[in-house]
Amino acid sequence: QPANIKLTRSRHIGVMFAVRAARPVRAASARALLLAAILARATGHGAGVWRDPHHYRSDSSLAGLRFVSESPPHELNIVGTDDGTSWWALKGRCSGLGMRNITIDFSPKGGPSDATGRWAPGETITWPDGNMWALLAAPTRAFLLDAADDHTGVFFDPHHFKVGTFRGMRFIAEDPPHVLKMVGSDDGTFWFLEGFCTGPKMTSIHFDFSPKGGPKELVGKWGVCALLM
């Protein structure tokens, strides 16, 4: 992660609209299954941006979004929001044939500690209660409206940002207080970093970028709608 990177709030970026790829009409062929396997290896098992319909409001809100990375292999880290403004972080794992079993510890949110869903690559994660998370193919306009004056939420790294994709996006939760969790993407794959905040009004932002080949402790400064690192 290069120094002097300014992560900007989404409201400063040009308009983006989501275009969901149409599903094939016919049953999945062997070629489609092979492509799905290749996609899983490229992006991570269960990784991506997911929409939980139990909390989803509209494309103008981040409510119900879950950002999942597989980092390291078979270990899942999730940053999400139920209301579009407060952010939380959870841990999980993938297992079974094709790593299709997605198990998440929801106990920090008052849920079960070992909820196991079934992942359909490129499509859905289906949970035992019937809830089905749907994969987002591209950002919605809600990503433009995350203008909360805080060091959590959605940020863009201009060194990697690509309009209409999740490239260059960073999703940050403070959970528990003063402990930061970040899920992000540079090239379409998702990674996970940990850090903390210190100083007056918690404006000093520390992240360990060593999992990405960067410095062990990179310190940034939180300002209004921007994070300079």
Side-chain angles (χ1 to χ4, degrees):
Q1 178 72 22
N4 299 322
I5 298 302
K6 188 176 184 181
L7 304 182
T8 58
R9 276 294 186 189
S10 52
R11 67 178 179 181
H12 296 291
I13 305 298
V15 177
M16 298 180 291
F17 295 96
V19 180
R20 175 77 173 176
R23 293 186 180 181
V25 177
R26 297 181 179 179
S29 63
R31 180 181 178 185
L33 293 175
L34 176 60
L35 290 176
I38 294 173
L39 176 65
R41 288 197 297 270
T43 61
H45 303 96
V49 180
W50 300 90
R51 174 183 288 160
D52 181 344
H54 284 192
H55 298 279
Y56 169 71
R57 295 177 183 174
S58 72
D59 284 350
S60 297
S61 172
L62 296 172
L65 295 186
R66 287 83 174 92
F67 307 93
V68 182
S69 72
E70 183 190 11
S71 177
H74 307 163
E75 292 186 19
L76 303 178
N77 288 280
I78 305 97
V79 167
T81 177
D82 292 342
D83 58 11
T85 57
S86 58
W87 294 76
W88 41 258
L90 301 174
K91 287 188 173 294
R93 64 187 185 277
C94 53
S95 62
L97 182 64
M99 298 291 130
R100 300 289 184 91
N101 295 328
I102 304 298
T103 302
I104 297 177
D105 178 5
F106 285 99
S107 61
K109 296 177 77 269
S113 61
D114 59 350
T116 299
R118 187 68 175 171
W119 169 54
E123 293 289 339
T124 59
I125 299 176
T126 304
W127 300 97
D129 63 358
N131 189 17
M132 183 182 293
W133 292 3
L135 185 68
L136 288 188
T140 67
R141 58 197 184 98
F143 289 78
L144 305 174
L145 305 176
D146 180 30
D149 186 13
D150 198 0
H151 51 266
T152 62
V154 180
F155 292 84
F156 296 81
D157 183 339
H159 282 197
H160 299 282
F161 178 68
K162 184 177 180 179
V163 174
T165 76
F166 295 110
R167 296 184 181 188
M169 290 191 179
R170 285 82 174 95
F171 312 100
I172 302 177
E174 182 183 1
D175 185 16
H178 312 327
V179 176
L180 302 178
K181 313 287 179 64
M182 183 197 301
V183 170
S185 176
D186 294 340
D187 55 8
T189 61
F190 288 84
W191 40 257
F192 174 73
L193 301 177
E194 295 182 279
F196 57 94
C197 51
T198 61
K201 298 183 178 180
M202 298 293 120
T203 54
S204 294
I205 307 299
H206 307 246
F207 268 104
D208 176 7
F209 279 91
S210 61
K212 294 177 77 264
K216 179 72 174 176
E217 185 176 344
L218 186 62
V219 182
K221 192 70 173 178
W222 161 249
V224 177
C225 295
L227 175 58
L228 182 62
M229 303 198 77

